[in-house]
Amino acid sequence: MSSPTPVDVVLVDDHLMFRTGVRASLDARVNVVGEADDVESAIRCVRALTPPVVLLDVHLPGGNGGGGAEVITACADLLTGTRFLALSVSDAAEDVVAVIRAGARGYVTKAISGPDLCDAVVRVAGGDAVFSPRLAGFVLDAFGTSAADVAITDDELDRLSAREQEVMRLIARGYSYREVASELFISIKTVETHVSAVLRKLQLSSRYELTRWAAARRLL
C-alpha cells in the first residue's frame, strides 16, 4: 500500500533554531516547503506557495505589530485553501483569541510532541479544528455567541447517548482520537464510530463545525 501524500506546510517562526527543531521532529506525513521569520516574509511566502497548512508563531517581528494574526488577515483571501495552525509558546487567552478571530483553524503550544504536531497538521489540512486541550476553553470567547446560537437545545443533546456526549465534548475540546480513547478507556475505532454518529445526528460535517457548535452552547 502506498503512503499518503505528505501535507505541504510553510513554517513561520522568528527563531531559526526552533524552525530547525520542528523540521527534525516532523515525520513523512508533513513536508516543509517554505520558511519565514517575520510578518512581511511570511505573507510573501504564503502567497507565493499557497500551502495547505501554515504553521504560524503568534509573536512575530515586522509588519504593523500584529504578529501571526496580521499574517492571517493579510492572507484572508486564501483561507478556503490554506489553513493556519498557530504554534506558540504562549497559552495566553488573548493570543488564542486574536489568531482564531483572524481565521486560524487551530492553536497548539510548543510543548507538543513531533508525532502529535504531525497529527494536528494532517487534521487541519482535512478541515478539522485542533486545539491543545487546555486552550479549548478560550474557543468560546473567540467564536462569540448569539441568541440564536445559544437558544439550545436540549433536544439536540437528547439525540446523543451518554457516551456520545462524552466523546463529543472531548473532540470539541481538541483531543485527538487517541487521547479520547485513552481518557474513556475505549478503542480508537470505537471513538471513530461515536464521532461519526455525533456528526450525523447533529447534522455537522467536520470537527471544526462540532467545536463551534459546542462552544456556542457553552458545552466545552
Side-chain angles (χ1 to χ4, degrees), residues 34-191:
E35 296 185 14
D37 59 5
D38 60 18
V39 169
E40 292 88 352
S41 64
I43 294 169
R44 287 195 302 270
C45 188
V46 171
R47 299 195 72 85
L49 298 174
T50 59
V53 176
V54 179
L55 280 173
L56 180 70
D57 193 10
V58 173
H59 299 291
L60 292 169
N64 297 313
E70 184 177 341
V71 175
I72 300 171
T73 300
C75 298
D77 57 310
L78 305 178
L79 290 180
T80 53
T82 295
R83 297 181 171 95
F84 288 83
L85 174 60
L87 174 62
S88 177
V89 69
S90 171
D91 59 2
E94 58 269 25
D95 290 332
V96 179
V97 170
V99 294
I100 298 303
R101 283 185 173 153
R105 295 297 289 267
Y107 194 116
V108 295
T109 65
K110 290 180 177 178
I112 194 170
S113 69
D116 284 345
L117 179 58
C118 291
D119 287 343
V121 168
V122 171
R123 287 164 55 195
V124 167
D128 285 346
V130 179
F131 298 91
S132 291
R134 68 178 179 277
L135 306 182
F138 302 141
V139 176
L140 177 61
D141 295 325
F143 289 139
T145 58
S146 68
D149 286 334
V150 192
I152 191 176
T153 69
D154 289 337
D155 60 321
E156 286 179 309
L157 279 178
D158 285 346
R159 298 174 197 167
L160 307 181
S161 69
R163 177 64 90 187
E164 287 169 350
Q165 290 186 36
E166 290 178 316
V167 171
M168 175 272 292
R169 284 184 169 86
L170 293 174
I171 290 293
R173 288 172 185 161
Y175 282 61
S176 68
Y177 287 1
R178 184 173 64 250
E179 289 168 333
V180 174
S182 176
E183 184 83 11
L184 300 180
F185 303 102
I186 57 179
S187 71
I188 293 175
K189 183 66 176 176
T190 301
V191 174

Side-chain angles (χ1 to χ4, degrees), residues 17-32:
M17 288 297 290
F18 176 74
R19 298 198 309 273
T20 302
V22 170
R23 276 182 174 270
S25 299
L26 298 173
D27 59 36
R29 293 174 292 166
V30 178
N31 177 42
V32 178

